[in-house]
Amino acid sequence: MKAQPNSPNALWAKHGYTIERQQRRAGGPKIRTIRSPAGDAVLHDAGYDAEMDWINDNLEPHHQTLP
């Protein structure tokens, strides 16, 4: 399944960021760590709103994406 163009996954990929997913010990949604193209962690275990805020503030400030 391909990511929607304005989804966090598509926007991270567009800018060369990677998403690491790790299973939680107690189950539930996986922990996501977002890494910059240089390999630095920019977000860890953030929710959808926090990811979109970071993207809009740092990568796409001219294009405020809709939630």
Side-chain angles (χ1 to χ4, degrees), residues 25-59:
R25 289 184 189 161
K30 293 186 178 183
I31 297 170
R32 290 165 54 102
T33 300
I34 311 301
R35 295 196 178 274
S36 71
D40 301 317
V42 297
L43 286 174
H44 177 74
D45 202 20
Y48 175 88
D49 291 336
E51 287 191 28
M52 291 306 294
D53 288 344
W54 200 96
I55 290 167
N56 288 330
D57 291 345
N58 297 281
L59 300 177

